[in-house]
């Protein structure tokens, strides 16, 4: 018998209008509400490195710590950037309340898993932090978890989503990306994926490059493909 993952019902998002073989989810602001934890960590970081928190406005979602620090302090040497990024990630990895599940996240992931549907998480944070946030939120850790540890170039570079599609054995053009940040949208589009954006951390007018913009995961509905489902026991 063919493994379920190979014959899984394709996804047909009612808001997008075509079929997809897999879903690639961003983490923060998409599956997990980590806003308070992120704010606390970067405020502590700013105090240590004498950075005005307002300099980080609009940059806290969709960027790796290294990329964000390079943006606000482009003149820092590489070793100082690396040290500062490690400190920032350490704060978040040790946060006892790193986040909660976004509305609809648990139900959506359970539905995809029950149907044998392929999905992955593609995030700009570290693997340790991603697992910490998923566990604290009561969400499953997927078999495919692409993090900053895997990618020399973070979003908006296409590499993270290309790696996610490759790990699932799916063409990027057959993947639906679910994002909340402009950099993530650009990453998914550059990889060749279709992108749905959620207005969970940004206003809709900042997400216009996505194929569809929704208020949240509870508005992301999938229909079974009757052809793919036919004849299955």
């Amino acid at each position: 018998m063919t493994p379920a993952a190979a014959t899984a019902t394709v996804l047909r998002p009612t808001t997008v209008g075509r079929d997809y073989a897999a879903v690639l989810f961003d983490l923060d602001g998409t599956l997990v509400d980590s806003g308070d934890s992120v704010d606390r960590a970067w405020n502590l970081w700013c105090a240590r490195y004498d950075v005005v928190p307002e300099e980080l406005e609009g940059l806290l979602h969709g960027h790796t710590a290294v990329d964000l620090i390079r943006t606000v302090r482009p003149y820092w040497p590489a070793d100082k950037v690396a040290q500062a990024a490690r400190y920032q990630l350490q704060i978040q990895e040790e946060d006892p309340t790193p986040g909660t599940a976004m509305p609809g996240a648990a139900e959506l992931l359970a539905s995809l898993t029950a149907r044998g549907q392929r999905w992955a998480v593609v995030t700009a944070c570290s693997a340790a932090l991603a697992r910490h946030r998923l566990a604290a939120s009561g969400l499953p850790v997927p078999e495919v978890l692409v993090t900053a540890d895997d990618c020399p170039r973070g979003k908006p570079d296409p590499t993270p989503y290309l790696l996610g599609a490759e790990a699932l054995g799916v063409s990027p053009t057959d993947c639906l990306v679910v994002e909340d940040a402009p950099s993530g949208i650009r990453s998914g589009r550059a990889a060749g994926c279709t992108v749905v954006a959620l207005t969970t951390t940004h206003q809709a007018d900042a997400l216009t490059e996505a194929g569809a913009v929704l208020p949240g995961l509870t508005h992301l509905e999938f229909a079974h493909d009757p052809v793919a489902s036919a004849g299955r026991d």
Side-chain angles (χ1 to χ4, degrees):
M1 182 175 178
T2 305
T7 60
T9 303
V10 296
L11 294 161
R12 178 171 294 159
T14 58
T15 55
V16 181
R18 56 150 290 194
D19 298 340
Y20 299 91
V23 187
L24 305 176
F25 292 98
D26 173 55
L27 181 62
D28 299 298
T30 299
L31 292 177
V32 174
D33 181 357
S34 57
D36 289 344
S37 177
V38 170
D39 288 344
R40 284 194 299 271
W42 282 105
N43 283 335
L44 288 170
W45 183 90
C46 285
R48 175 163 179 166
Y49 288 97
D50 196 26
V51 174
V52 179
E54 285 72 21
E55 293 184 58
L56 308 183
E57 188 172 350
L59 299 174
L60 296 183
H61 295 278
H63 298 89
T64 65
V66 168
D67 286 344
L68 193 158
I69 294 167
R70 284 174 177 162
T71 298
V72 298
R73 288 295 181 270
Y75 50 85
W76 280 5
D79 58 341
K80 183 171 183 177
V81 170
Q83 186 274 334
R86 285 194 297 270
Y87 172 71
Q88 208 284 330
L89 289 173
Q90 179 183 354
I91 299 171
Q92 295 191 57
E93 289 170 2
E94 295 176 354
D95 190 338
T97 55
T100 57
M102 296 292 285
E107 295 81 1
L108 177 57
L109 296 183
S111 173
L112 294 177
T113 301
R115 286 156 48 182
Q117 184 60 54
R118 285 167 285 188
W119 63 275
V121 169
V122 179
T123 176
C125 68
S126 68
L129 181 54
R131 292 176 181 277
H132 183 38
R133 285 185 173 149
L134 287 167
S137 302
L139 298 176
V141 176
E143 292 184 10
V144 174
L145 175 63
V146 179
T147 73
D149 300 339
D150 306 303
C151 303
R153 298 178 181 173
K155 304 170 187 179
D157 189 270
T159 301
Y161 282 114
L162 289 174
L163 288 177
E166 180 182 11
L168 290 176
V170 177
S171 168
T173 57
D174 290 327
C175 290
L176 180 71
V177 165
V178 185
E179 265 284 352
D180 71 302
S183 63
I185 294 172
R186 296 186 188 110
S187 175
R189 283 173 54 88
C193 308
T194 299
V195 184
V196 168
L198 310 179
T199 56
T200 49
T201 61
H202 291 76
Q203 296 296 319
D205 59 5
L207 307 173
T208 56
E209 294 179 67
V213 179
L214 304 174
L217 290 174
T218 56
H219 294 260
L220 183 60
E221 299 178 353
F222 295 110
H224 287 284
D225 182 343
V227 175
S229 300
R232 293 180 64 188
D233 295 330

